[in-house]
Short mmCIF file of all heavy atoms in Angstrom, two decimals:
data_model
loop_
_atom_site.label_atom_id
_atom_site.label_comp_id
_atom_site.label_asym_id
_atom_site.label_seq_id
_atom_site.Cartn_x
_atom_site.Cartn_y
_atom_site.Cartn_z
N GLY R 117 -0.42 0.12 -11.30
CA GLY R 117 0.59 -0.80 -10.82
C GLY R 117 0.71 -0.75 -9.32
O GLY R 117 0.42 0.28 -8.70
N LEU R 118 1.11 -1.87 -8.72
CA LEU R 118 1.28 -1.94 -7.28
C LEU R 118 2.48 -2.82 -6.97
O LEU R 118 2.53 -3.98 -7.39
CB LEU R 118 0.02 -2.51 -6.63
CG LEU R 118 -0.13 -2.35 -5.12
CD1 LEU R 118 -1.59 -2.41 -4.72
CD2 LEU R 118 0.66 -3.37 -4.34
N ASP R 119 3.45 -2.25 -6.27
CA ASP R 119 4.64 -2.98 -5.86
C ASP R 119 4.69 -3.02 -4.34
O ASP R 119 4.97 -2.01 -3.70
CB ASP R 119 5.90 -2.32 -6.42
CG ASP R 119 7.18 -3.06 -6.05
OD1 ASP R 119 7.11 -4.05 -5.29
OD2 ASP R 119 8.25 -2.63 -6.52
N ALA R 120 4.38 -4.18 -3.78
CA ALA R 120 4.43 -4.36 -2.33
C ALA R 120 5.62 -5.24 -1.93
O ALA R 120 5.72 -5.67 -0.79
CB ALA R 120 3.13 -4.98 -1.84
N SER R 121 6.53 -5.48 -2.87
CA SER R 121 7.63 -6.41 -2.63
C SER R 121 8.59 -5.96 -1.54
O SER R 121 9.35 -6.78 -1.02
CB SER R 121 8.41 -6.64 -3.93
OG SER R 121 9.03 -5.44 -4.36
N HIS R 122 8.53 -4.69 -1.16
CA HIS R 122 9.42 -4.18 -0.10
C HIS R 122 8.71 -4.09 1.24
O HIS R 122 9.12 -3.35 2.12
CB HIS R 122 9.97 -2.81 -0.48
CG HIS R 122 10.79 -2.84 -1.72
ND1 HIS R 122 12.03 -3.44 -1.78
CD2 HIS R 122 10.55 -2.38 -2.96
CE1 HIS R 122 12.51 -3.33 -2.99
NE2 HIS R 122 11.63 -2.70 -3.73
N ASN R 123 7.62 -4.84 1.38
CA ASN R 123 6.90 -4.84 2.66
C ASN R 123 6.67 -6.27 3.11
O ASN R 123 5.63 -6.86 2.86
CB ASN R 123 5.57 -4.10 2.56
CG ASN R 123 4.91 -3.94 3.91
OD1 ASN R 123 5.23 -4.66 4.85
ND2 ASN R 123 4.00 -3.01 4.02
N GLU R 124 7.66 -6.82 3.80
CA GLU R 124 7.55 -8.20 4.27
C GLU R 124 6.54 -8.36 5.41
O GLU R 124 6.20 -9.48 5.77
CB GLU R 124 8.91 -8.72 4.70
CG GLU R 124 9.48 -8.02 5.90
CD GLU R 124 10.90 -8.43 6.23
OE1 GLU R 124 11.72 -8.54 5.31
OE2 GLU R 124 11.19 -8.61 7.42
N LEU R 125 6.05 -7.26 5.96
CA LEU R 125 5.05 -7.33 7.04
C LEU R 125 3.62 -7.49 6.52
O LEU R 125 2.72 -7.87 7.27
CB LEU R 125 5.10 -6.06 7.89
CG LEU R 125 6.40 -5.77 8.62
CD1 LEU R 125 6.30 -4.43 9.36
CD2 LEU R 125 6.75 -6.90 9.58
N LEU R 126 3.40 -7.21 5.25
CA LEU R 126 2.05 -7.17 4.69
C LEU R 126 1.37 -8.53 4.80
O LEU R 126 1.89 -9.54 4.35
CB LEU R 126 2.10 -6.72 3.23
CG LEU R 126 0.77 -6.32 2.61
CD1 LEU R 126 0.21 -5.08 3.30
CD2 LEU R 126 0.96 -6.06 1.12
N GLU R 127 0.18 -8.55 5.42
CA GLU R 127 -0.60 -9.77 5.60
C GLU R 127 -1.86 -9.78 4.75
O GLU R 127 -2.34 -10.83 4.35
CB GLU R 127 -1.00 -9.93 7.07
CG GLU R 127 0.18 -10.10 8.00
CD GLU R 127 -0.23 -10.12 9.47
OE1 GLU R 127 -1.44 -10.03 9.78
OE2 GLU R 127 0.68 -10.21 10.32
N VAL R 128 -2.41 -8.59 4.48
CA VAL R 128 -3.67 -8.47 3.75
C VAL R 128 -3.51 -7.42 2.66
O VAL R 128 -3.06 -6.30 2.93
CB VAL R 128 -4.83 -8.04 4.70
CG1 VAL R 128 -6.12 -7.85 3.94
CG2 VAL R 128 -4.99 -9.06 5.82
N LEU R 129 -3.89 -7.78 1.41
CA LEU R 129 -3.85 -6.84 0.30
C LEU R 129 -5.10 -6.99 -0.54
O LEU R 129 -5.34 -8.05 -1.11
CB LEU R 129 -2.60 -7.08 -0.56
CG LEU R 129 -2.46 -6.23 -1.82
CD1 LEU R 129 -2.45 -4.74 -1.48
CD2 LEU R 129 -1.21 -6.63 -2.59
N TYR R 130 -5.89 -5.93 -0.58
CA TYR R 130 -7.09 -5.87 -1.42
C TYR R 130 -6.87 -4.79 -2.47
O TYR R 130 -6.76 -3.61 -2.13
CB TYR R 130 -8.33 -5.52 -0.59
CG TYR R 130 -8.61 -6.48 0.55
CD1 TYR R 130 -8.91 -6.00 1.81
CD2 TYR R 130 -8.59 -7.85 0.36
CE1 TYR R 130 -9.19 -6.87 2.86
CE2 TYR R 130 -8.86 -8.72 1.40
CZ TYR R 130 -9.16 -8.22 2.64
OH TYR R 130 -9.43 -9.08 3.68
N CYS R 131 -6.78 -5.21 -3.71
CA CYS R 131 -6.53 -4.25 -4.79
C CYS R 131 -7.46 -4.50 -5.98
O CYS R 131 -7.08 -4.36 -7.13
CB CYS R 131 -5.06 -4.27 -5.21
SG CYS R 131 -4.41 -5.90 -5.62
N ASP R 132 -8.69 -4.88 -5.69
CA ASP R 132 -9.69 -5.17 -6.72
C ASP R 132 -10.14 -3.90 -7.44
O ASP R 132 -10.01 -2.79 -6.92
CB ASP R 132 -10.95 -5.79 -6.08
CG ASP R 132 -10.62 -6.90 -5.10
OD1 ASP R 132 -9.73 -7.70 -5.38
OD2 ASP R 132 -11.26 -6.94 -4.03
N SER R 133 -10.69 -4.10 -8.62
CA SER R 133 -11.37 -3.02 -9.37
C SER R 133 -10.49 -1.81 -9.60
O SER R 133 -10.86 -0.67 -9.33
CB SER R 133 -12.67 -2.61 -8.66
OG SER R 133 -13.51 -3.73 -8.51
N ASN R 134 -9.29 -2.08 -10.09
CA ASN R 134 -8.38 -1.03 -10.53
C ASN R 134 -8.02 -1.36 -11.98
O ASN R 134 -8.74 -2.11 -12.64
CB ASN R 134 -7.13 -1.01 -9.64
CG ASN R 134 -7.44 -0.50 -8.24
OD1 ASN R 134 -7.91 0.61 -8.06
ND2 ASN R 134 -7.19 -1.33 -7.24
N ASP R 135 -6.93 -0.82 -12.47
CA ASP R 135 -6.46 -1.14 -13.82
C ASP R 135 -5.02 -1.65 -13.75
O ASP R 135 -4.19 -1.28 -14.57
CB ASP R 135 -6.58 0.10 -14.72
CG ASP R 135 -6.46 -0.25 -16.19
OD1 ASP R 135 -6.84 -1.38 -16.57
OD2 ASP R 135 -5.99 0.60 -16.97
N LEU R 136 -4.75 -2.50 -12.74
CA LEU R 136 -3.39 -2.99 -12.53
C LEU R 136 -2.92 -3.80 -13.73
O LEU R 136 -3.58 -4.75 -14.15
CB LEU R 136 -3.32 -3.88 -11.29
CG LEU R 136 -3.61 -3.24 -9.94
CD1 LEU R 136 -3.50 -4.30 -8.83
CD2 LEU R 136 -2.68 -2.08 -9.67
#
Side-chain angles (χ1 to χ4, degrees):
L118 194 156
D119 181 356
S121 64
H122 298 290
N123 188 340
E124 66 187 43
L125 298 177
L126 194 65
E127 297 174 2
V128 177
L129 176 59
Y130 302 133
C131 53
D132 314 319
S133 303
N134 290 301
D135 195 29
L136 296 179

